[in-house]
Amino acid sequence: QVQLVETGGGLVQAGGSLRLSCAASGITLSLSAMNWYRQAPGNQRELVAGITRAGDTNYADSVKGRFTISRDNAKNTVYLQMNSLKPDDTAVYYCNANFIGTGYWGQGTQVTVSS
């Protein structure tokens, strides 16, 4: 079975930082493209950051310069370092994996940024 388990969410003041982790099982991370999405109440789910199998990264314009996605294939884990957090970053953050043509989702972790 495939599992993606997000951890690291919580409550933080504006300007603070959080690091989200997504631990994968049932897939090989080195063969997967990994992404972080987020969804705020009333909004569509949006792509925040992605990292390819080769290590290339991409970011939504709204988080460029503040968020960093990385992966540790040995630990089968992808991370999202979030700095300079803003209230608009408040959302449920979801880990997404694309492994051999199939997409998988974690259950999400709540990030709340207070003003």
Side-chain angles (χ1 to χ4, degrees):
Q1 74 286 357
V2 175
Q3 282 188 294
L4 303 175
V5 180
E6 302 100 331
T7 57
L11 175 64
V12 65
Q13 192 174 2
S17 298
L18 288 172
R19 188 174 82 154
L20 307 183
S21 299
C22 173
S25 60
I27 64 171
T28 302
L29 201 73
S30 64
L31 299 178
S32 303
M34 304 297 298
N35 304 284
W36 285 97
Y37 286 77
R38 68 186 181 188
Q39 188 166 21
N43 292 343
Q44 296 186 138
R45 189 171 298 187
E46 65 174 341
L47 177 65
V48 176
I51 185 166
T52 70
R53 292 166 55 180
D56 299 319
T57 58
N58 65 282
Y59 300 92
D61 288 342
S62 59
V63 307
K64 284 182 180 177
R66 299 188 298 120
F67 291 10
T68 303
I69 188 171
S70 62
R71 64 196 298 156
D72 187 334
N73 290 338
K75 296 181 179 178
N76 234 41
T77 300
V78 65
Y79 305 94
L80 185 67
Q81 179 67 46
M82 305 184 295
N83 298 326
S84 302
L85 283 161
K86 305 174 181 179
D88 284 349
D89 295 319
T90 295
V92 177
Y93 284 71
Y94 297 91
C95 181
N96 166 264
N98 292 307
F99 177 60
I100 314 179
T102 302
Y104 301 94
W105 293 90
Q107 293 301 306
T109 184
Q110 176 71 48
V111 171
T112 302
V113 184
S114 63
S115 60

